[in-house]
Amino acid sequence: MTTKLFANGLFLLQDFPTELQISVDLSWYLSLSAILFTIGVVGVIIKRNAIAMFMCIELMLNSVNLTFISFSSFFRDVNGQLFVFIVMAVAAAEAAVGLGIIISIFRNRESIDVDDASVLRG
Amino acid sequence: MLRYIIFAPLAGALINWLVGRRIRNEIFIGLVACGSVAVSTAFSFYLAFKPDGVLHSTAPVLDHLFTWISVGSFRADFGLAMDRLSAIYALFVTFVGLLIHIFAVGYMHGDSGYYRFFAYLNLFMFAMLTLVLADNFLLMFVGWEGVGLCSYLLIGYYLDRKEAAEAAKKAFIVNRVGDWGFVLGIMLVFFLTGSVSFFAKEEQGVASALQTIALMPAETFAWQNIFAGGITSLAVLLFIGAVGKSAQIPLYVWLPDAMAGPTPVSALIHAATMVTAGVYMIVRCGAIYTQAPTAMFIVAVIGASTALFAATIGLAQNDIKKVLAYSTISQLGYMFLACGVGAYIAAIFHVMTHAFFKALLFLGAGSVIHGTNHEQDLRRMGGLRKYMPVTFATMIAGWLAICGVPFFAGFFSKDEILWKVWSAHTEAITGDFGKVLWGIGALTALLTAVYMTRLMVMTFWGEERFEEVEAGRQADEAHAFDIGEKPHKPESATAGSRPHHEPDITAHKPHESPLVMTVPLVILAILSTAGGLVGVPYALSGGAIENYIEHALEPVVHPQTSSQEGGTTPQIQFLSPPPLEIDGAPAVGHTPAEAAAAETAHSPEEIYTERVLMAVSVALALIGIAVGFVVFRRRPLLRFPRLLEEKYYVDEVYDATIVRPIEASSREGLWKIFDLGVIDGLLHGIGRSIVQVGSVLRYLQIGFVRSYAAIILLGALAVIGYFAYVFVTSALLQ
């Protein structure tokens, strides 16, 4: 890794005499992904606005994408990147459908506050 | 054939209950009831008096119906047996019962529960005859419980009266206390002898428990024998049963309250039959008692003390039926006194004559009550002899009989008892103590004469007090209500709990009862007068008139040790099968051996003493009658000390020491702590905990979307965590 970055760095910045000696571990990518996922989860639970919930869901899906990519890159396995494609497609479809549902609910209730959708409450 | 004696009344009861209830025809019900008892009477008389019947041979008639319980070595059959003892009982129970049934046809006329009354009365006859004719302890106990049940049903016959219900409960519960002793006794009999049967039946392979005990060594007179678990314990336990059933101290308290039932019930159950079941049981188990002198001592002492105690209370009562109730308790005391000194034949003789005259007195009282429109208070009667001559005449016969005036029935039997008590010579009761017991018996006889004379004088002589409006207890009011007499207006009620008769009761003058009620009275009067002649003692007749009852019962009842000269073993020839030399011997007439024995048993000194004692008791009876007549003619409303009138406050003492603590502990302890706290608490606790679990689980389906999201998160974490755990541990293991 270091050699590659170093090579890239050399290629791009041939004037610079110094090198960046930082090593970026896999664990960094994974922790970023975990943090993003957690933020997404908390947001899904806390947020009352349906669109905000959806944004958090998208955030969760993207953090998962990041995980797949990082694994794929570090272990040189292209299957991870393939799965990311699928996840992205699903995310898009789901967002479309979900937004359609939200609009339909809004047309009925004039509100997209999730707490108001409690007709089934005992 | 014995089975018809018991099953006829049972059939009558069933028919009256099922059919009589529908058709409600008094004539039908009365005919069925009296007819079924008449069938029993006919069979009893036939089986007893036929040429090779029970009274002519000492072999009992057996009737084995079926094997009821046969478990391991325990065996109890539904089998009946009539030997001379049960024959005598069956004879007077059925006959007096028949007369009382006929009387009740008239007395209960117009009552709305007519069918119920006769159904219960027939059921009672079934139970009583089962008791008397049973051939083993267990079947006898079935009858024992049955009569207790019918007593409860009949005392509480007036459904709308709370006191009748209370009295019925009291009777049953106090009886139950006695039954506890009886059941333990049955268990002990089985434990000691391996059998519960009275008679030995080879075909069924049953041994006689009584014979086994008779062959065991006799126990000594020592107080620790009571708890030793032997024959004395057995005798004492059985006696506890008798104390409950036959109303002796300390379990007599139910009998006076039982007067809340209709008068025929009091006559039949609480005078003639049920209460004598205890005496029957003791005489039947004579073998056991003769081996246990400690028990006999207890029996005699309790009998004597009850006799005196009840007589003193009876002196002060104002309700005609209560006087007769305490009189019954007192006379039962005499019977137990006789058993306690070993004079079983005298006890049975007195049972029989007592059945006659006490039933007569009760039915006569019933006739008086009926004739005075349900007045039961002696203080409000008087001068009734001109209104009710037949009742008056028959009650005179009963009165003279119970006082022991010669030659009425009571004289012979009571005298026999007193003589046997004076000359008692058992291991426990030596000569001097026998004379003390005689003294108690004689004093009781005096008091009996006094209070019975008081009853007669206050009822039949003197000025007519029934027109006065005085407070009086009328326990038979529901009877009045039922038969459509005038209802009581509330404004004439005083601060007491009962309404009074109104002043215009004089519109109904006392009247004589109809024939259906007076004919049984007449028959019983004849029996009370002449019934004693079957037992004329040798001392009076010199052998000219045979002492029929003594010769009849001698082979079947254990001979009393007083007739033996010092220390010979008693003859064991009282049970079936009897030794061959006596088999076939007639009850009437002497065999040469018996005649010789009779002569040696009646020495001149004995005859002289017996005659002197007889004269003393006659004198006591006449003095008592004279005193009663003089005192109560002059002052009929003489009041006795409060203590006697309130029956020595025994009921109040029992209430305070036994009933209230049990009630309090039941209410505070069993009900509040256990029933409400533990059981209900457990159920409510289960309910509450389920509700609490539910209140947590409701978030699963609450309709609150964000909680759904949270639960999905939790679930996912759990699953992932589990797999991570498995992965990590398996990775570490490798």
Side-chain angles (χ1 to χ4, degrees):
Chain A
M1 300 276 171
T2 319
T3 346
K4 259 217 172 110
L5 271 173
F6 181 68
N8 290 336
L10 274 180
F11 179 70
L12 290 171
L13 303 163
Q14 284 177 3
D15 310 324
F16 277 74
T18 54
E19 329 168 326
L20 289 170
Q21 294 288 340
I22 306 167
S23 65
V24 182
D25 248 342
L26 172 63
S27 59
W28 291 26
Y29 287 94
L30 295 182
S31 3
L32 173 65
S33 174
I35 289 169
L36 287 175
F37 188 85
T38 313
I39 292 172
V41 164
V42 169
V44 164
I45 293 179
I46 288 184
K47 286 290 179 189
R48 286 163 58 175
N49 194 326
I51 297 183
M53 274 176 74
F54 262 93
M55 289 198 284
C56 294
I57 291 174
E58 292 298 317
L59 184 56
M60 281 158 59
L61 287 166
N62 281 314
S63 73
V64 168
N65 284 344
L66 184 58
T67 308
F68 276 121
I69 293 292
S70 56
F71 273 122
S72 158
S73 164
F74 277 96
F75 294 129
R76 299 204 170 275
D77 186 357
V78 82
N79 287 315
Q81 298 173 30
L82 289 178
F83 205 74
V84 168
F85 269 106
I86 297 171
V87 171
M88 279 185 183
V90 167
E94 171 220 338
V97 171
L99 286 170
I101 293 175
I102 290 176
I103 290 172
S104 159
I105 290 177
F106 179 73
R107 281 197 190 131
N108 268 314
R109 293 165 189 271
E110 292 279 322
S111 156
I112 50 168
D113 187 334
V114 156
D115 281 352
D116 289 341
S118 60
V119 172
L120 281 180
R121 174 177 246 155
Chain B
M1 211 188 290
L2 278 174
R3 62 191 74 182
Y4 302 120
I5 299 183
I6 0 178
F7 290 127
L10 182 63
L14 283 172
I15 294 176
N16 270 334
W17 187 260
L18 299 169
V19 177
R21 181 184 198 174
R22 290 297 172 80
I23 64 176
R24 302 246 175 193
N25 182 341
E26 281 192 9
I27 299 179
F28 172 80
I29 296 173
L31 272 177
V32 167
C34 297
S36 52
V37 180
V39 167
S40 290
T41 314
F43 271 105
S44 308
F45 273 82
Y46 173 68
L47 281 171
F49 285 106
K50 69 177 180 173
D52 57 338
V54 178
L55 290 179
H56 288 100
S57 85
T58 54
V61 174
L62 296 172
D63 189 4
H64 173 85
L65 274 86
F66 58 91
T67 304
W68 176 25
I69 302 177
S70 179
V71 176
S73 62
F74 180 79
R75 188 195 169 110
D77 298 327
F78 197 114
L80 305 172
M82 183 193 264
D83 67 345
R84 288 182 178 182
L85 174 61
S86 26
I88 290 184
Y89 254 84
L91 289 175
F92 81 75
V93 163
T94 51
F95 191 66
V96 173
L98 177 63
L99 294 174
I100 294 178
H101 274 72
I102 296 174
F103 181 89
V105 167
Y107 188 82
M108 301 302 291
H109 168 70
D111 195 279
S112 60
Y114 202 79
Y115 78 93
R116 196 160 51 92
F117 182 81
F118 281 101
Y120 289 159
L121 215 60
N122 273 2
L123 190 65
F124 169 80
M125 292 300 289
F126 162 69
M128 185 71 202
L129 289 166
T130 305
L131 196 161
V132 162
L133 293 174
D135 76 348
N136 59 62
F137 273 102
L138 208 57
L139 188 61
M140 180 200 242
F141 188 62
V142 169
W144 190 273
E145 289 292 287
V147 295
L149 169 71
C150 293
S151 176
Y152 166 81
L153 291 172
L154 284 163
I155 295 173
Y157 170 73
Y158 292 127
L159 296 173
D160 50 344
R161 302 211 48 230
K162 190 160 187 294
E163 320 189 323
E166 298 283 323
K169 271 192 294 185
K170 184 173 182 177
F172 196 80
I173 293 176
V174 175
N175 239 242
R176 219 58 181 118
V177 175
D179 293 347
W180 162 79
F182 195 94
V183 170
L184 286 180
I186 298 180
M187 293 182 204
L188 192 53
V189 153
F190 177 67
F191 183 71
L192 288 176
T193 66
S195 158
V196 290
S197 175
F198 299 135
F199 299 96
K201 304 190 284 189
E202 286 90 27
E203 313 89 65
Q204 282 89 25
V206 174
S208 162
L210 298 176
Q211 256 176 352
T212 314
I213 289 192
L215 292 168
M216 285 163 74
E219 299 200 355
T220 56
F221 179 52
W223 293 108
Q224 56 268 27
N225 275 339
I226 299 177
F227 301 104
I231 303 180
T232 308
S233 305
L234 172 61
V236 169
L237 285 171
L238 292 173
F239 181 59
I240 293 177
V243 162
K245 185 67 72 185
S246 297
Q248 298 295 291
I249 292 175
L251 296 174
Y252 70 92
V253 290
W254 62 272
L255 190 57
D257 285 25
M259 298 297 116
T263 310
V265 168
S266 307
L268 182 60
I269 299 187
H270 307 127
T273 47
M274 182 179 102
V275 292
T276 57
V279 185
Y280 171 76
M281 190 267 295
I282 292 197
V283 174
R284 173 63 75 198
C285 302
I288 299 178
Y289 283 89
T290 324
Q291 306 280 68
T294 324
M296 285 181 80
F297 182 80
I298 296 176
V299 171
V301 167
I302 288 192
S305 46
T306 307
L308 186 58
F309 182 76
T312 56
I313 299 181
L315 206 46
Q317 297 301 305
N318 292 314
D319 182 328
I320 192 173
K321 289 177 69 173
K322 289 258 165 57
V323 176
L324 293 174
Y326 283 105
S327 169
T328 303
I329 300 176
S330 178
Q331 297 296 309
L332 287 168
Y334 268 115
M335 297 172 211
F336 281 103
L337 174 58
C339 290
V341 299
Y344 299 117
I345 300 175
I348 297 295
F349 188 29
H350 198 58
V351 164
M352 196 177 81
T353 58
H354 176 262
F356 296 147
F357 60 67
K358 197 42 74 62
L360 170 62
L361 287 169
F362 263 107
L363 293 187
S367 178
V368 166
I369 293 170
H370 180 87
T372 57
N373 306 303
H374 321 296
E375 183 56 69
Q376 286 189 198
D377 196 324
L378 286 171
R379 298 171 293 191
R380 297 187 57 188
M381 297 180 190
L384 288 178
R385 62 196 160 117
K386 48 170 126 30
Y387 297 100
M388 313 176 74
V390 180
T391 307
F392 173 60
T394 51
M395 284 205 56
I396 286 196
W399 166 53
L400 294 177
I402 194 175
C403 291
V405 169
F407 294 88
F408 289 84
F411 163 69
F412 293 109
S413 57
K414 200 186 280 202
D415 244 49
E416 186 73 16
I417 293 181
L418 289 174
W419 156 241
K420 294 281 190 238
V421 169
W422 173 277
S423 63
H425 221 59
T426 66
E427 186 183 329
I429 300 174
T430 56
D432 290 334
F433 193 64
K435 303 195 172 39
V436 169
L437 289 176
W438 178 88
I440 296 178
L443 180 59
T444 310
L446 179 65
L447 288 174
T448 305
V450 174
Y451 70 68
M452 285 309 297
T453 310
R454 171 176 179 258
L455 186 143
M456 294 295 289
V457 165
M458 281 176 83
T459 310
F460 292 110
W461 274 280
E463 53 164 300
E464 300 168 9
R465 293 183 300 277
F466 45 81
E467 297 172 15
E468 295 162 32
V469 184
E470 238 172 57
R473 297 189 47 166
Q474 292 135 32
D476 228 10
E477 255 175 25
H479 180 72
F481 236 42
D482 262 346
I483 69 172
E485 298 270 332
K486 306 192 310 183
H488 304 280
K489 294 207 200 77
E491 56 262 25
S492 63
T494 61
S497 56
R498 287 206 196 86
H500 286 278
H501 279 301
E502 299 146 13
D504 55 303
I505 194 71
T506 54
H508 298 265
K509 278 252 182 254
H511 56 86
E512 183 60 87
S513 305
L515 257 185
V516 75
M517 287 165 71
T518 50
V519 167
L521 286 177
V522 170
I523 299 180
L524 281 171
I526 295 173
L527 281 172
S528 300
T529 316
L533 295 174
V534 296
V536 179
Y538 186 85
L540 268 187
S541 65
I545 309 175
E546 192 201 341
N547 194 340
Y548 187 80
I549 203 163
E550 182 155 344
H551 294 135
L553 282 179
E554 191 121 36
V556 295
V557 165
H558 193 101
Q560 44 193 310
T561 49
S562 66
S563 64
Q564 254 101 42
E565 316 291 12
T568 55
T569 57
Q571 305 150 284
I572 309 161
Q573 38 175 255
F574 49 88
L575 295 167
S576 153
L580 292 171
E581 49 274 22
I582 300 198
D583 204 358
V588 189
H590 297 269
T591 59
E594 280 180 36
E599 273 164 33
T600 52
H602 299 292
S603 60
E605 305 87 52
E606 282 195 1
I607 297 180
Y608 177 72
T609 323
E610 197 174 338
R611 287 185 179 157
V612 166
L613 287 176
M614 229 178 267
V616 169
S617 16
V618 171
L620 283 173
L622 294 174
I623 292 174
I625 293 178
V627 165
F629 217 85
V630 165
V631 170
F632 297 108
R633 273 293 255 143
R634 197 167 301 159
R635 296 183 57 189
L637 297 175
L638 176 67
R639 283 202 63 170
F640 283 85
R642 209 62 203 285
L643 185 67
L644 295 183
E645 205 172 309
E646 296 294 334
K647 342 165 226 119
Y648 295 99
Y649 297 104
V650 170
D651 278 320
E652 285 77 5
V653 166
Y654 277 179
D655 196 47
T657 54
I658 299 174
V659 177
R660 293 273 164 80
I662 291 181
E663 253 179 46
S665 71
S666 297
R667 188 177 51 243
E668 301 300 324
L670 284 179
W671 181 49
K672 286 189 184 160
I673 296 179
F674 190 68
D675 191 37
L676 288 180
V678 172
I679 296 181
D680 281 359
L682 192 64
L683 289 174
H684 291 149
I686 291 177
R688 233 178 294 121
S689 60
I690 290 180
V691 168
Q692 276 165 355
V693 167
S695 71
V696 169
L697 288 178
R698 68 192 262 268
Y699 285 103
L700 279 174
Q701 294 205 342
I702 203 172
F704 188 50
V705 176
R706 288 197 281 154
S707 69
Y708 291 167
I711 289 170
I712 294 174
L713 169 68
L714 286 172
L717 280 177
V719 171
I720 294 172
Y722 170 72
F723 280 112
Y725 175 77
V726 166
F727 178 75
V728 167
T729 48
S730 65
L732 283 176
L733 281 171
Q734 277 166 7

